[in-house]
Amino acid sequence: MGHDVGDLLLTATTKRIQSCIREVDTLACLGGDDFVVLLTELDTQVEKATQTVALIAEKIRISLTAPYQLNSKEYLSSSSIGVSLYLDKVVTDSDLLKQTEMAMYRAKESGGNAVRFFNAEMQLAVETRAALEADLRHAVSEQQLQLYYQIQVDSEQHPIGAEALVRWIHPTRGMVSPVQFIPLAEESSLILEVGDWVMEAACRQLVVWSKSEQTKHLTLAVNVSSKQFKQPDFLERVKSLIHAYELDASRLKIELTETVVLNDVTEVIVKMHALKALRVGLSMDDFGTGYSSLSYLKQLPMDQIKIDQSFVHDMTSDQNDVVMVKTIIDMAKNFHLNVIAEGVETEAHLSLLKQMGCMAYQGYLFGKPVPIEQFEALLRKDAVI
Ligand code: C2E
Ligand code: MG
Ligand code: MG
């Protein structure tokens, strides 16, 4: 409903939280819709203190569920509350905040409108995460990252390109999945370092491919996180890589997820147009899982939509997913967009998708993500056939 109504909601929320706490307590807004309540002068007995805190948290939760009158319209909202008790332990203020945050995420994961206390199991998760993050700081400089390549094929099953998927080969943990470390990297500026490394490695590979008849037509898709895309110098970095490697930019494709357009749509569109002017391709990854909205889709200069693998996976068992996939394909065609399905695992998936007019495919049926040597062996095998 716009920033002004958002501000009214934040003000109303503040007042309601204020009415649930005492004069000695502190209420702060850390930014966005994140509030912190510091409760002091609690009972020295842990059980009693816990009880008091639980009561206050519950009071806040309930008070925030009552309808809001904003600009004479009624709105509903709810909160996710995380609680951490400071019990004479040696924790820093930032650790304490991290703990409450973790508990808050648990409240969110449970479906929201809930209160969760920080506990020992969460503590372990926090520590594991912190250790992983500390190690990730050295991953690029110690050359522990590696690109894997997953083949993409057309409807005749001829290779048309690959998606570059990063892997972290950790000296003691072994291979760490990007599902684990990319979100971690995204929370700090590490994602920029990782993203830069990936982009440069992909460009180097494209140069190698451009030199051979068999591979020069292949495109390489690179995943770019929204934080990376939003860097003011992102465009310049891509541009200078293209120049430095004398690349045919049309071989490079950037995969973005819908989160990139959540804020500043206008700015994102300007950047996308600039990339298109360089002839870099743009693909919308995991389409259908996020905030997919027709109104933004028509504004975005995308070249391709990537149907999320969850729909493809459930297509053979759930008729609704068939309808979903068909709708995405038809819509893509109406917008003159290319469409690729990911997570194609079986012949049944392939034939259903083909019937619906899908144009390109990626999935275990054609090949898993593999190191470059194996990827090129896969191409040679295809050439023999
Ligand atoms: P994504 O971009 O949607 O990548 C597709 C994921 O699905 C890959 O997981 C791939 O291995 C997996 N996949 C491919 N075909 C199949 C299939 O037939 N069945 C099943 N079950 N899975 C399939 P991966 O490599 O673990 O990557 C996970 C996610 O990590 C990616 O999702 C992407 O969001 C992120 N990611 C990977 N590399 C990078 C990167 O270099 N930068 C950024 N920012 N994110 C990356
Ligand atoms: Mg992707
Ligand atoms: Mg995807």
Side-chain angles (χ1 to χ4, degrees):
M1 309 309 293
H3 284 292
D4 45 344
V5 178
D7 286 347
L8 289 177
L9 177 64
L10 291 177
T11 315
T13 305
T14 309
K15 289 205 178 108
R16 289 191 191 182
I17 302 177
Q18 236 163 5
S19 71
C20 299
I21 60 179
R22 301 156 302 171
E23 197 74 9
V24 288
D25 301 324
T26 307
L27 170 62
C29 180
L30 283 195
D33 55 357
D34 271 340
F35 290 87
V36 171
V37 177
L38 185 68
L39 301 175
T40 47
E41 298 177 26
L42 296 170
D43 203 291
T44 46
Q45 267 188 296
V46 181
E47 290 76 23
K48 281 194 182 155
T50 309
Q51 223 168 19
T52 312
V53 175
L55 273 174
I56 299 175
E58 198 52 24
K59 207 165 135 190
I60 295 176
R61 184 190 69 76
I62 290 168
S63 82
L64 297 181
T65 54
Y68 293 82
Q69 289 290 333
L70 312 171
N71 278 349
S72 60
K73 269 203 195 142
E74 194 173 284
Y75 296 92
L76 288 173
S77 180
S78 67
S79 58
S80 297
I81 304 179
V83 184
S84 178
L85 288 179
Y86 177 85
L87 304 164
D88 294 334
K89 279 180 303 188
V90 197
V91 272
T92 62
D93 47 0
S94 83
D95 280 347
L96 197 62
L97 263 182
K98 267 192 208 132
Q99 293 180 352
T100 48
E101 212 169 38
M102 183 110 193
M104 180 195 69
Y105 282 122
R106 288 300 162 92
K108 268 193 194 189
E109 282 163 17
S110 76
N113 194 16
V115 177
R116 288 287 180 275
F117 273 70
F118 182 78
N119 61 31
E121 167 240 335
M122 289 183 213
Q123 180 63 42
L124 186 69
V126 168
E127 281 163 13
T128 317
R129 239 180 122 83
L132 207 61
E133 192 188 324
D135 288 354
L136 190 58
R137 296 195 178 278
H138 312 290
V140 171
S141 60
E142 299 192 358
Q143 302 178 358
Q144 293 167 356
L145 297 185
Q146 193 182 342
L147 275 194
Y148 272 41
Y149 297 80
Q150 186 176 30
I151 198 163
Q152 298 181 331
V153 301
D154 64 13
S155 45
E156 259 95 59
Q157 301 196 29
H158 294 312
I160 48 174
E163 175 174 6
L165 293 154
V166 69
R167 298 289 180 266
W168 176 16
I169 318 293
H170 188 282
T172 54
R173 291 172 211 266
M175 188 148 91
V176 187
S177 153
V179 178
Q180 260 183 298
F181 75 87
I182 291 287
L184 204 67
E186 272 171 344
E187 277 176 20
S188 62
S189 55
L190 278 173
I191 189 63
L192 304 178
E193 210 185 320
V194 172
D196 277 350
W197 181 87
V198 168
M199 190 61 88
E200 179 144 15
C203 289
R204 273 202 308 267
Q205 191 54 53
L206 275 173
V207 173
V208 176
W209 283 353
S210 71
K211 297 196 169 125
S212 145
E213 271 313 307
Q214 207 204 343
T215 50
K216 67 187 217 190
H217 67 286
L218 298 177
T219 58
L220 187 55
V222 174
N223 293 285
V224 170
S225 87
S226 92
K227 192 164 180 179
Q228 190 188 351
F229 187 78
K230 286 185 178 154
Q231 284 302 298
D233 61 348
F234 177 72
L235 190 69
E236 279 313 309
R237 287 179 195 222
V238 174
K239 223 189 233 172
S240 62
L241 278 174
I242 291 171
H243 286 303
Y245 288 98
E246 295 174 12
L247 273 189
D248 172 358
S250 65
R251 302 288 123 204
L252 178 67
K253 184 151 58 185
I254 288 179
E255 287 195 9
L256 297 168
T257 57
E258 295 164 59
T259 48
V260 83
V261 284
L262 271 189
N263 304 303
D264 336 305
V265 189
T266 339
E267 208 178 301
V268 167
I269 291 175
V270 170
K271 226 176 228 181
M272 286 183 172
H273 277 294
L275 284 165
K276 296 234 6 186
L278 293 172
R279 296 175 52 234
V280 173
L282 294 173
S283 180
M284 184 60 88
D285 204 352
D286 305 338
F287 189 80
T289 55
Y291 301 83
S292 318
S293 129
L294 285 176
S295 67
Y296 83 62
L297 193 66
K298 78 163 197 259
Q299 299 176 53
L300 300 181
M302 305 300 301
D303 301 287
Q304 183 180 63
I305 282 179
K306 222 172 171 185
I307 306 171
D308 188 67
Q309 48 182 291
S310 59
F311 304 120
V312 175
H313 188 260
D314 297 340
M315 241 178 9
T316 37
S317 57
D318 188 343
Q319 194 55 32
N320 285 332
D321 284 288
V322 176
V323 175
M324 188 80 183
V325 171
K326 176 88 176 101
T327 309
I328 297 176
I329 295 173
D330 290 346
M331 184 201 62
K333 288 198 167 155
N334 289 334
F335 280 123
H336 306 291
L337 298 171
N338 176 308
V339 55
I340 183 167
E342 68 179 342
V344 182
E345 291 184 358
T346 62
E347 291 289 347
H349 291 157
L350 177 62
S351 81
L352 259 174
L353 287 161
K354 250 190 193 164
Q355 272 173 37
M356 293 190 267
C358 187
M359 305 159 183
Y361 309 86
Q362 179 183 341
Y364 294 169
L365 181 63
F366 315 101
K368 291 195 170 181
V370 285
I372 191 65
E373 303 77 26
Q374 273 165 266
F375 179 76
E376 288 179 342
L378 193 69
L379 290 180
R380 280 197 293 277
K381 193 178 109 218
D382 183 85
V384 174
I385 295 165

